Amino acid sequence: MHKNTIKITLIFLLMSLIIISYGFTENWHQWRGPNNDGISQETNVPIKWSQTENIKWRLPLPGEGASTPAVWDDKIFLTCADQDDLVLMCISTDGEEQWKQVIAQGNSTKRRGEVNNAAPSPTTDGKYVWAFLGSGDLACYDINGKPVWKTNLEERYGNFSLYFIMSTSPLLYKDRLYIQLIHSNAWLVLALDKMTGNEVWKHERESDARRESEQAYTSPIIYRDSKHEFLVVHGADYVTAHNLKDGSEIWRCGGINSHESYNSAFRLVATPVATDGLIVVPSAKNGPVLGINPSGTGVITDTEFQLWKLQRGTPDVPSPLIHDNLVYLCRENGVLICLDANTGEKLYEKRTHDRRHRSSPVYANGNIYITARDGVVNVIKAGREFEIVATNTIGETIAASPVIANGTLYLRSYDALYAISNEIESKE
């Protein structure tokens, strides 16, 4: 064997050993992680912490926000209020503020301060970062904070009409941003050029929803397998699949808001989640959860493409999680439901913490992280049996979902951003 070949082989083996020793690391570039499903492949993830234990650093934030941070390499991006300003911040993974850009002014809040205009989560590709706000402002910056473009979707597509605040997060996929605007004045699905903000296509989505059920706070996701690739949109009484090229509708499924006992306040907040061969679709207000075969066409309500239906028990705000053929549903009251992903059979229904839950669960290294609004995070052992591994708290209000990136667990409260790690280098 040539000497150079031997040298390259040895370097490769050494790098592999380093990766195995320290655990796989990854970026968390959007609200629900690398594949938009709340799943982390990392192994060296903390399961125990407090306001002092395993805290790598705590950075106070200038104001409130429910948006989940996005992390790429050594940079963290998040939106928040800063008095009357709405800002995008870049924070280093050492806990230092790098830059802050004012995107808009005139913050507003709803539900006694539970949600504000900094509810949608940003997304990044490591070169640029995109942030959307409940005010309709959508902006792109490079990772050094230089403005690239800015627009306002409310001005472009009509005033938002919602009972609360527009909270959908933009979805970055390849060279496009996908955004849904589902409210009482419009049901739109948009594809925008990520480098200009220009419209690539607009799809006007049909619905027979009424009153508050016309409105949604969900976010779009991408479904992918060896045969399919499409956009999934959830809101106004239906879940729909859309062609990525032009937005045309591939299939739609109803059956989540009964026509016989119609609930006109059935606004959808929890976003579907997908795995190969299955899309799990939540609803609202203790309504049903559907397991859908993604290969249908046309109207698939109550057809063979509906694999199973849980009649009651949906999460109202937290989105579902799928891992290892199990579906986890964290209800807003802290009850965790586990289902068999193939049949929809309920395996357990147990309470984790008797407080309001708004964050979506995440999985890492055999555990499910369930976050309550009062700052309590329960770590639940993944599997068919219910077991609480650890209960932790930082004693601050949390609406954002946990983030796991490059060996660190990030928790974003209304007061601060926390970096939590098993390997602490104390930062005063």
Side-chain angles (χ1 to χ4, degrees):
M1 186 180 291
H2 194 276
K3 288 184 178 180
N4 287 338
T5 303
I6 295 174
K7 185 177 180 180
I8 292 171
T9 302
L10 290 174
I11 291 172
F12 176 79
L13 289 173
L14 179 61
M15 291 177 66
S16 299
L17 288 173
I18 291 172
I19 291 172
I20 292 170
S21 299
Y22 287 93
F24 178 81
T25 61
E26 61 188 345
N27 294 309
W28 195 275
H29 73 282
Q30 60 189 349
W31 164 46
R32 298 214 71 195
N35 295 308
N36 211 25
D37 57 5
I39 302 293
S40 170
Q41 300 299 327
E42 299 204 21
T43 56
N44 189 27
V45 183
I47 61 172
K48 293 183 179 181
W49 63 88
S50 66
Q51 289 179 314
T52 55
E53 180 188 8
N54 281 345
I55 300 299
K56 190 175 181 180
W57 49 259
R58 175 187 184 275
L59 179 69
L61 297 175
E64 296 180 350
S67 63
T68 297
V71 181
W72 193 285
D73 292 341
D74 61 350
K75 292 181 172 56
I76 306 165
F77 304 99
L78 60 82
T79 57
C80 67
D82 185 354
Q83 298 185 34
D84 195 48
D85 292 335
L86 292 161
V87 301
L88 173 65
M89 298 180 65
C90 176
I91 299 162
S92 75
T93 50
D94 292 326
E96 302 288 346
E97 182 180 319
Q98 300 296 294
W99 51 262
K100 180 170 63 177
Q101 288 282 9
V102 176
I103 299 177
Q105 292 181 316
N107 183 38
S108 61
T109 63
K110 292 284 187 179
R111 200 179 174 91
R112 299 179 296 280
E114 184 172 322
V115 65
N116 70 348
N117 278 344
S121 300
T123 183
T124 182
D125 63 0
K127 296 180 180 179
Y128 301 92
V129 57
W130 293 264
F132 181 54
L133 299 169
S135 59
D137 293 281
L138 174 65
C140 174
Y141 297 86
D142 70 17
I143 58 169
N144 296 314
K146 180 181 178 181
V148 178
W149 56 263
K150 179 181 173 183
T151 187
N152 186 290
L153 299 187
E154 191 171 29
E155 294 174 359
R156 284 169 60 171
Y157 296 105
N159 292 337
F160 299 158
S161 177
L162 300 108
Y163 190 73
F164 297 113
I165 288 174
M166 179 64 72
S167 301
T168 186
S169 295
L171 173 65
L172 174 67
Y173 187 60
K174 298 181 180 178
D175 60 350
R176 295 178 182 177
L177 283 178
Y178 296 96
I179 298 177
Q180 61 181 62
L181 303 176
I182 300 178
H183 55 93
S184 293
N185 282 343
W187 300 313
L188 299 178
V189 186
L190 306 171
L192 307 180
D193 185 287
K194 72 176 186 179
M195 295 310 303
T196 64
N198 293 336
E199 181 184 299
V200 178
W201 52 254
K202 177 180 72 174
H203 175 77
E204 297 186 6
R205 187 173 180 267
E206 295 181 356
S207 177
D208 53 2
R210 305 192 298 272
R211 299 179 62 183
E212 193 182 347
S213 297
E214 299 170 342
Q215 306 166 15
Y217 305 86
T218 59
S219 300
I221 65 170
I222 296 287
Y223 177 83
R224 291 185 301 271
D225 63 23
S226 59
K227 297 180 180 179
H228 307 92
E229 183 181 63
F230 53 76
L231 191 72
V232 179
V233 174
H234 187 41
D237 290 347
Y238 294 91
V239 59
T240 50
H242 299 267
N243 190 307
L244 294 178
K245 294 181 180 179
D246 58 11
S248 58
E249 192 170 291
I250 300 170
W251 54 255
R252 68 168 41 216
C253 184
I256 53 179
N257 194 354
S258 170
H259 285 98
E260 289 73 24
S261 54
Y262 190 78
N263 187 338
S264 60
F266 213 68
R267 79 291 176 274
L268 299 177
V269 184
T271 293
V273 68
T275 191
D276 196 356
L278 175 68
I279 302 173
V280 174
V281 180
S283 61
K285 300 183 182 299
N286 200 27
V289 179
L290 305 182
I292 293 178
N293 180 333
S295 61
T297 56
V299 178
I300 63 171
T301 307
D302 296 327
T303 69
E304 69 273 18
F305 295 102
Q306 182 179 299
L307 301 175
W308 49 260
K309 183 175 186 178
L310 179 71
Q311 292 293 343
R312 298 185 68 80
T314 188
D316 194 60
V317 175
S319 297
L321 181 76
I322 310 172
H323 181 264
D324 196 21
N325 286 319
L326 297 176
V327 176
Y328 299 90
L329 308 170
C330 177
R331 297 198 59 215
E332 68 283 357
N333 59 5
V335 169
L336 183 65
I337 300 173
C338 180
L339 309 177
D340 184 292
N342 296 317
T343 66
E345 175 191 0
K346 186 185 294 184
L347 303 176
Y348 67 72
E349 181 173 354
K350 299 289 185 179
R351 187 177 299 278
T352 61
H353 179 56
D354 189 16
R355 291 294 185 272
R356 181 171 288 169
H357 287 61
R358 295 309 195 202
S359 309
S360 294
V362 300
Y363 166 91
N365 196 28
N367 295 309
I368 312 295
Y369 291 73
I370 305 293
T371 307
R373 186 168 163 77
D374 65 355
V376 170
V377 180
N378 276 292
V379 183
I380 311 298
K381 184 177 180 180
R384 300 172 74 88
E385 302 292 333
F386 178 77
E387 179 185 341
I388 297 179
V389 176
T391 298
N392 312 283
T393 186
I394 59 170
E396 298 174 9
T397 301
I398 302 177
S401 299
V403 169
I404 299 168
N406 305 318
T408 301
L409 171 68
Y410 295 98
L411 290 181
R412 186 264 174 89
S413 77
Y414 271 22
D415 301 311
L417 178 65
Y418 284 79
I420 304 168
S421 175
N422 287 326
E423 301 173 5
I424 302 300
E425 295 179 7
S426 181
K427 179 181 181 299
E428 300 296 335

